[in-house]
Amino acid sequence: MKPKNGLKGELTIPADKSISHRAVMFSSLAKGSCIIRNFSSGADCRSTLNLFKKLGVDINVTEEKTLTVKSDGMLKSSDIPLYCGNSGTTMRLVSGILAGSNNEYILTGDESLSKRPMKRIIEPLKLMGAKIYSDNGCAPLKIIGTELHGIEYSSPLASAQVKSCILLAGMNADGKTVYKEPYLSRNHTELMLKYMGADIKAKDNVISISKSDLTAKDIDIAGDISSAAFFIAAGLIVPNSDIIIKNTGINPTRTGILDVVKRMGGSLELMNKVEKSGEVVADIHVNYTDNLKACTIEGADIPRLIDELPVIAILASQAEGETVVKDAQDLRNKESDRIKCLVCELSKIGIDIEEREDGFIVKGKTKIRGGAELNSYNDHRLGMSFYVAGLLADNELGIEGYEWTKISFPEFDEMMNNLQ
């Protein structure tokens, strides 16, 4: 239900999941020791951490959210399957790492991950000479490590996970690997590999990499803008709100939501910009905005805000006019079919939303009805988006499967409550 006095205060957003995954993976491939500060406490990143421990890497928590990683740059064999939990990032990136090894591995995941498409990495890896086998394009994956060779690959979709998988395989392959994507997806892999000394070059949406050894370096992880998105949206649409979100990563490949907010006329300001371990961070100041305007979100926008689209639908419900989202068909391949599920559930609370094959259309402004029971479909981003919708409802909303929000953002409830 509506907070009586709006949402007010400052919060420091938790660590970026994408960067946390990569920090553990790349430090495990580097010879030497390093310190990783502000590591994500989410379940997905713990899946990555535990997997690399099973591969023989010495990883210890020295204090809250701080890891020390010691490695000789070599990963050990594993007689038992490597469990990736619910994390598509873990499974897809690790596949690229292990494909060029000298060992055999099996990667498994939970029920949800086992339904997600893996052909998108299997096909280019096989072009590099990889021996990788699946259950009809899904997990479990069996990988028989072998010598790889570089390729030139044009991806049909802009996916940071696919790109990272192929670049990591290319780092252990003979010759040069060149990867081209239709739009530039998030580039945390490129930035961190360059920071750690890889032979990698990037120009626009074309990236090349050659066989490289990584140098162990300390890594400070920025706050996750995908997590900040829920507070950005809430601050814009809950009357009387005034929020400062500190230490948030503003990598240009991730700031699509900030651009959308500007197009909608939202009150948002970036303050105190600094660089940390190759990534730019800032504090984000958000105020309630009564006169938001609809916009179209498409094409190159999509890879820069793919995870934020569910909460953007809530934002759009409070904007004047029709907000159109298209070219986002990959939303159907997330933890749930986010297009179908979003339309089904938001319709229950009075939001005028229409399903399209590659996105949706939201007509604002809408008065959000309470008293409904929404199904999150065990999808953490849907659960948190419905929570934001509930802040405008005239009665309480129930959210089935809300506990799945702990996967990506265990601190979410406490932070929202502190602002109220």
Side-chain angles (χ1 to χ4, degrees):
M1 294 178 64
K2 293 180 182 179
K4 292 182 179 179
N5 301 309
L7 303 172
K8 290 185 170 66
E10 297 185 358
L11 65 149
T12 300
I13 213 71
D16 189 291
K17 288 201 310 170
S18 295
I19 301 175
S20 294
H21 283 296
R22 289 158 174 79
V24 167
M25 292 180 188
F26 302 173
S27 296
S28 297
L29 298 176
K31 293 181 181 179
S33 63
C34 74
I35 299 172
I36 299 173
R37 302 180 185 89
N38 194 34
F39 184 74
S40 170
S41 58
D44 283 357
C45 294
R46 288 200 303 272
S47 292
T48 291
L49 188 155
N50 291 332
L51 186 149
F52 278 87
K53 281 185 173 181
K54 291 177 181 176
L55 291 173
V57 182
D58 183 1
I59 306 175
N60 291 288
V61 180
T62 54
E63 55 186 86
E64 186 180 11
K65 298 182 180 179
T66 300
L67 309 178
T68 57
V69 181
K70 298 178 182 178
S71 177
D72 60 5
M74 303 294 291
L75 302 178
K76 294 182 179 178
S77 60
S78 176
D79 295 331
I80 60 173
L82 299 170
Y83 184 62
C84 301
N86 188 246
S87 176
T89 300
T90 306
M91 181 167 285
R92 290 177 177 137
L93 270 63
V94 167
S95 295
I97 291 171
L98 300 182
S101 70
N102 296 318
N103 300 306
E104 294 186 16
Y105 302 95
I106 294 176
L107 299 178
T108 65
D110 67 8
E111 183 179 359
S112 172
L113 182 57
S114 298
K115 295 176 182 177
R116 295 178 68 180
M118 294 297 154
K119 283 185 180 179
R120 56 184 59 184
I121 62 163
I122 293 171
E123 291 174 353
L125 283 176
K126 284 187 173 180
L127 293 176
M128 301 177 76
K131 298 177 181 178
I132 180 168
Y133 307 93
S134 68
D135 180 8
N136 196 29
C138 296
L141 303 182
K142 181 177 181 179
I143 298 172
I144 302 175
T146 188
E147 291 186 6
L148 305 178
H149 56 81
I151 57 170
E152 292 190 11
Y153 185 72
S154 294
S155 176
L157 72 164
S159 165
Q161 293 180 358
V162 176
K163 173 174 62 176
S164 300
C165 172
I166 304 312
L167 293 177
L168 290 167
M171 199 171 67
N172 197 30
D174 292 329
K176 181 183 289 188
T177 295
V178 180
Y179 186 93
K180 183 178 181 179
E181 53 188 348
Y183 307 108
L184 181 62
S185 62
R186 60 183 66 175
N187 66 349
H188 301 303
T189 292
E190 297 97 296
L191 291 178
M192 191 176 292
L193 288 180
K194 184 176 181 180
Y195 174 69
M196 298 179 73
D199 183 5
I200 185 169
K201 296 179 176 63
K203 185 177 181 180
D204 299 326
N205 55 335
V206 179
I207 306 97
S208 64
I209 193 166
S210 299
K211 186 173 285 190
S212 305
D213 292 323
L214 298 182
T215 300
K217 286 190 175 183
D218 292 352
I219 299 171
D220 290 284
I221 299 173
D224 185 3
I225 194 165
S226 294
S227 297
F230 302 102
F231 297 92
I232 292 170
L236 290 167
I237 63 177
V238 175
N240 303 313
S241 293
D242 186 346
I243 305 172
I244 294 177
I245 308 164
K246 302 177 74 67
N247 190 45
T248 306
I250 55 167
N251 180 311
T253 64
R254 297 284 302 282
T255 51
I257 186 170
L258 303 186
D259 294 341
V260 164
V261 167
K262 290 175 184 176
R263 298 209 295 261
M264 298 177 83
S267 177
L268 183 148
E269 179 188 6
L270 298 180
M271 309 182 299
N272 305 320
K273 291 184 185 180
V274 294
E275 184 174 315
K276 294 184 178 180
S277 305
E279 297 276 355
V280 180
V281 304
D283 300 337
I284 302 175
H285 188 194
V286 181
N287 285 288
Y288 169 66
T289 307
D290 183 47
N291 57 345
L292 292 171
K293 304 297 182 186
C295 67
T296 297
I297 303 169
E298 62 184 334
D301 292 332
I302 300 301
R304 301 174 60 238
L305 47 62
I306 188 75
D307 287 336
E308 290 76 71
L309 284 172
V311 79
I312 286 174
I314 311 301
L315 187 64
S317 75
Q318 303 307 303
E320 293 284 357
E322 287 189 357
T323 296
V324 179
V325 175
K326 52 187 177 180
D327 303 322
Q329 54 266 36
D330 205 37
L331 271 182
R332 296 190 183 275
N333 298 316
K334 297 293 183 178
E335 284 83 341
S336 66
D337 179 340
R338 284 182 179 160
I339 295 175
K340 181 178 181 180
C341 297
L342 195 63
V343 171
C344 176
E345 300 308 306
L346 294 188
S347 297
K348 295 178 182 178
I349 56 175
I351 292 178
D352 188 344
I353 181 170
E354 176 186 342
E355 180 177 355
R356 294 292 179 90
E357 182 60 32
D358 64 343
F360 50 84
I361 298 173
V362 180
K363 297 178 183 179
K365 288 186 171 184
T366 302
K367 182 178 180 180
I368 295 177
R369 299 194 301 262
E373 181 79 19
L374 303 184
N375 189 345
S376 73
Y377 301 89
N378 297 342
D379 186 324
H380 50 122
R381 297 199 189 279
L382 291 186
M384 288 183 281
S385 298
F386 298 158
Y387 183 107
V388 174
L391 294 173
L392 292 183
D394 50 14
N395 283 300
E396 290 186 356
L397 293 180
I399 306 174
E400 182 182 346
Y402 182 75
E403 65 274 10
W404 283 74
T405 61
K406 303 298 182 185
I407 288 175
S408 65
F409 199 166
E411 307 92 342
F412 178 73
D413 282 10
E414 181 182 358
M415 287 187 170
M416 275 293 187
N417 289 332
N418 288 342
L419 293 176
Q420 297 178 53

